[in-house]
Amino acid sequence: MKLSIKLFILIGGFSLLVAVVYGFLTRFDELVGFPALLAVGAMSFMLAVYLWLVNRNTGGVLPEDKLDGEIVESAGEYGHFSPWSWWPLLLGTGCALAFTALAMGWWILGLAAPLAVLGLVGLIFEYSRGDHAH
């Protein structure tokens, strides 16, 4: 995790430096590249701070940080997934249609929103009823 923190600090500093140089070269008239580079730098610093706080609070050394770390050391439970569930497909289709609406036409958003909401509600309440209710 320490390497990741250093990497994000390096990326953030580089992005901010490039943003300043880019801004001066374009006389701050170009309003896409300069704010985008500033945003990349800010988000890199935010990730570095988050990883630093997590590292400070957990105090543990990750297998990636050890020279003799093995891949099997990072094994463990990653969560619970439903292999039989169709709700993620419905939610993904709704989200794909929503992004298609940005490119093709806003009327598609009227089709995408109910589909995405139905998929999200189904995914959230999947284990609230039926055979697998908790």
Side-chain angles (χ1 to χ4, degrees):
M1 190 171 308
K2 292 179 183 177
L3 179 64
S4 299
I5 295 168
K6 291 176 186 175
L7 182 66
F8 280 119
I9 289 173
L10 182 69
I11 291 171
F14 177 76
S15 297
L16 292 181
L17 178 70
V18 169
V20 170
V21 171
Y22 186 80
F24 279 115
L25 289 177
T26 61
R27 296 187 189 101
F28 297 98
D29 289 333
E30 204 269 321
L31 297 176
V32 176
F34 177 68
L37 286 167
L38 286 179
V40 167
M43 286 186 268
S44 296
F45 284 127
M46 285 174 23
L47 282 170
V49 168
Y50 170 74
L51 290 174
W52 176 72
L53 289 172
V54 168
N55 187 35
R56 189 183 68 175
N57 289 337
T58 58
V61 178
L62 294 177
E64 298 91 52
D65 293 332
K66 297 190 301 187
L67 292 176
D68 60 345
E70 295 288 330
I71 294 174
V72 74
E73 291 180 42
S74 63
E77 186 173 333
Y78 288 107
H80 177 73
F81 304 99
S82 305
W84 62 85
S85 179
W86 287 89
W87 295 113
L89 181 64
L90 190 64
L91 180 61
T93 304
C95 292
L97 281 174
F99 278 103
T100 303
L102 295 174
M104 296 182 67
W106 290 101
W107 63 272
I108 301 174
L109 199 59
L111 301 171
L115 202 61
V117 168
L118 181 66
L120 184 64
V121 169
L123 190 63
I124 289 172
F125 292 111
E126 181 173 21
Y127 289 105
S128 296
R129 48 191 315 230
D131 294 337
H132 305 288
H134 292 241

